[in-house]
Amino acid sequence: VSCRLARSWRCDRRRNLEAFAIVSKDEDFHQRALVSGPPPKVIWVRLGNCTTSDIEQAIQDGHNTIMAFLEDETASFLTLD
């Protein structure tokens, strides 16, 4: 796990951002969510080679799922693919 990821995770935990989620294509965030749990929550984008517009569309298409995920106190990560 990168130093940047570890710093981000500690910072987010100190702030106790309950409705905060990291959106990333990086598998390290997904693995960290499994080990450490929320907060922060992680939305792992698994779209392979894609444009920013593709990611934006996936987030828009998954709006209801993302909102339910953010409201679920026990969920630590969500996969968008």
Side-chain angles (χ1 to χ4, degrees):
V1 177
S2 73
C3 292
R4 183 190 58 143
L5 170 59
R7 281 193 305 270
S8 173
W9 210 270
R10 284 191 307 270
C11 180
D12 295 337
R13 281 188 175 272
R14 280 195 307 269
R15 291 182 184 157
N16 198 23
L17 301 172
E18 298 298 325
F20 177 74
I22 294 172
V23 179
S24 178
K25 290 182 71 176
D26 189 342
E27 186 176 3
D28 287 345
F29 282 100
H30 166 254
Q31 291 173 354
R32 186 72 181 238
L34 288 174
V35 172
S36 300
K41 293 178 175 253
V42 173
I43 299 173
W44 185 24
V45 179
R46 296 189 57 196
L47 296 179
N49 244 355
C50 65
T51 66
T52 303
S53 295
D54 293 335
I55 295 171
E56 181 182 5
Q57 189 62 53
I59 291 170
Q60 289 176 358
D61 292 346
H63 177 264
N64 292 337
T65 302
I66 292 168
M67 294 309 293
F69 163 68
L70 293 174
E71 292 174 7
D72 183 346
E73 294 178 11
T74 62
S76 61
F77 76 92
L78 172 69
T79 303
L80 287 182
D81 43 18

